[in-house]
């Protein structure tokens, strides 16, 4: 998400195999490789003299950082559990050669990787009910703090809005519907749903084209069918 245009060329890393830390995202700028989202943002802020938090006081920055880290540490893994540990009806919609590759290679590998990482993190040692309870409490905390405000700290977005939106968007528009988190946002926490739509409309006017366009692949293996974003088809 870019709230201030950056015209200098920044090359986005193509995969984990070339990443300086073995993870994505990462960037290369003037020959310098930088990994980790937070470190990338800090670098770009310094390099291009961007400060999306300039209107926040120290207390607000502290609150924003706490919410950001909460979302990245809990909500992210709650979503990963839902995506990889559940047997979604959407899996059966995959057809052709991709179906075999998905069933016997991509999905098992994704599940093993997610399980291993979640266990190492510690959050994967909880039961599913305990994990989802943690995420529900976090979502309610963000909803309570947001209240009727347009953005977290008023009428203008800050860096923390970008981070929180990145996590909420995955829960709200996950291609595997009816997750407990998605149902909570659409039901009890409607201000979070409104918040997500506000962010999307302000910064992503070409959202549908980015997600469903013929030239935009979700991964190197499959992409969304433009007629039905819940159905995966072979590219």
């Amino acid at each position: 998400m870019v709230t201030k245009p950056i015209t200098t060329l920044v090359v986005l890393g193509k995969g984990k195999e070339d990443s300086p830390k073995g993870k994505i995202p990462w960037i290369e700028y003037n020959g310098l490789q930088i990994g980790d989202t937070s470190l990338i943002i800090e670098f770009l802020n310094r390099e291009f003299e961007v400060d999306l938090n300039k209107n926040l006081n120290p207390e607000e920055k502290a609150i924003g950082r706490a919410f950001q880290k909460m979302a990245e540490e809990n909500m992210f893994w709650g979503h990963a559990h839902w995506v990889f540990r559940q047997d979604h009806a959407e899996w059966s919609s995959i057809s052709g050669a991709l179906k075999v590759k998905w069933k016997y290679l991509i999905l098992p590998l994704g599940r093993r990787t997610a399980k291993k990482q979640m266990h190492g993190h510690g959050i994967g040692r909880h039961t599913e009910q305990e994990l989802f309870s943690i995420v529900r409490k976090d979502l309610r905390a963000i909803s309570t703090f947001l209240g009727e405000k347009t953005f977290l700290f008023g009428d203008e977005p800050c860096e923390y809005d970008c981070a929180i939106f990145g996590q909420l968007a995955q829960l709200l528009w996950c291609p595997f519907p009816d997750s407990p988190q998605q149902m909570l946002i659409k039901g009890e926490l409607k201000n979070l749903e409104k918040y997500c739509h506000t962010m999307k409309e302000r910064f992503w006017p070409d959202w549908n084209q980015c997600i469903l366009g013929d030239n935009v692949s979700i991964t190197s293996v499959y992409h969304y069918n433009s007629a039905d974003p819940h159905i995966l088809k072979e590219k």
Side-chain angles (χ1 to χ4, degrees):
M1 179 182 299
V2 179
T3 61
K4 178 178 179 179
I6 294 177
T7 56
T8 304
L9 177 63
V10 177
V11 179
L12 296 177
K14 293 183 178 180
K16 293 191 295 184
E17 63 276 7
D18 298 320
S19 168
K21 297 186 177 181
K23 299 182 69 176
I24 54 176
W26 63 279
I27 66 170
E28 182 175 322
Y29 174 75
N30 289 343
L32 177 63
Q33 293 184 342
I34 306 162
D36 185 86
T37 303
S38 296
L39 296 180
I40 292 171
I41 292 174
E42 290 177 8
F43 171 79
L44 294 176
N45 285 345
R46 292 194 305 269
E47 189 68 22
F48 298 98
E49 298 181 349
V50 175
D51 185 3
L52 301 181
N53 298 329
K54 62 183 179 181
N55 294 324
L56 303 184
N57 61 43
E59 181 180 355
E60 290 171 330
K61 290 180 181 179
I63 294 172
R65 180 174 175 80
F67 273 120
Q68 176 183 341
K69 295 305 176 183
M70 179 185 73
E72 292 174 348
E73 291 299 314
N74 293 342
M75 288 161 49
F76 172 83
W77 290 114
H79 179 65
H81 175 90
W82 175 256
V83 170
F84 288 108
R85 301 292 294 278
Q86 301 290 324
D87 291 318
H88 301 287
E90 283 73 18
W91 298 147
S92 62
S93 302
I94 303 174
S95 61
L98 176 59
K99 183 174 184 177
V100 176
K101 186 183 295 185
W102 182 267
K103 182 177 181 180
Y104 295 104
L105 178 61
I106 300 175
L107 185 57
L109 179 61
R111 282 177 166 168
R112 286 198 301 270
T113 301
K115 182 178 181 180
K116 181 179 179 180
Q117 291 181 344
M118 291 178 68
H119 187 81
H121 178 281
I123 200 166
R125 301 167 193 247
H126 299 307
T127 66
E128 181 175 90
Q129 292 76 15
E130 290 170 339
L131 174 57
F132 287 166
S133 175
I134 291 171
V135 177
R136 283 195 299 271
K137 292 175 182 176
D138 291 347
L139 287 170
R140 289 190 175 107
I142 297 173
S143 174
T144 298
F145 182 78
L146 177 64
E148 299 299 320
K149 299 191 297 292
T150 304
F151 301 106
L152 289 175
F153 297 100
D155 295 330
E156 290 298 323
C158 64
E159 189 175 301
Y160 305 115
D161 287 291
C162 300
I164 295 297
F165 171 75
Q167 298 297 331
L168 291 177
Q170 296 182 70
L171 304 182
L172 183 58
W173 292 301
C174 173
F176 313 112
D178 300 328
S179 73
Q181 297 90 346
Q182 184 187 80
M183 295 175 67
L184 182 64
I185 293 173
K186 289 187 173 182
E188 176 187 336
L189 310 179
K190 290 187 178 298
N191 66 330
L192 294 185
E193 182 177 18
K194 180 181 178 181
Y195 171 77
C196 286
H197 281 284
T198 299
M199 291 287 288
K200 184 182 78 168
E201 292 166 5
R202 177 158 178 171
F203 298 109
W204 297 90
D206 56 347
W207 180 277
N208 290 337
Q209 177 61 30
C210 289
I211 299 298
L212 307 175
D214 293 336
N215 296 324
V216 180
S217 63
I218 299 305
T219 71
S220 60
V221 180
Y222 60 83
H223 65 89
Y224 287 115
N225 184 319
S226 59
D228 183 354
H230 293 155
I231 304 301
L232 298 175
K233 70 174 184 180
E234 188 173 0
K235 184 177 179 182

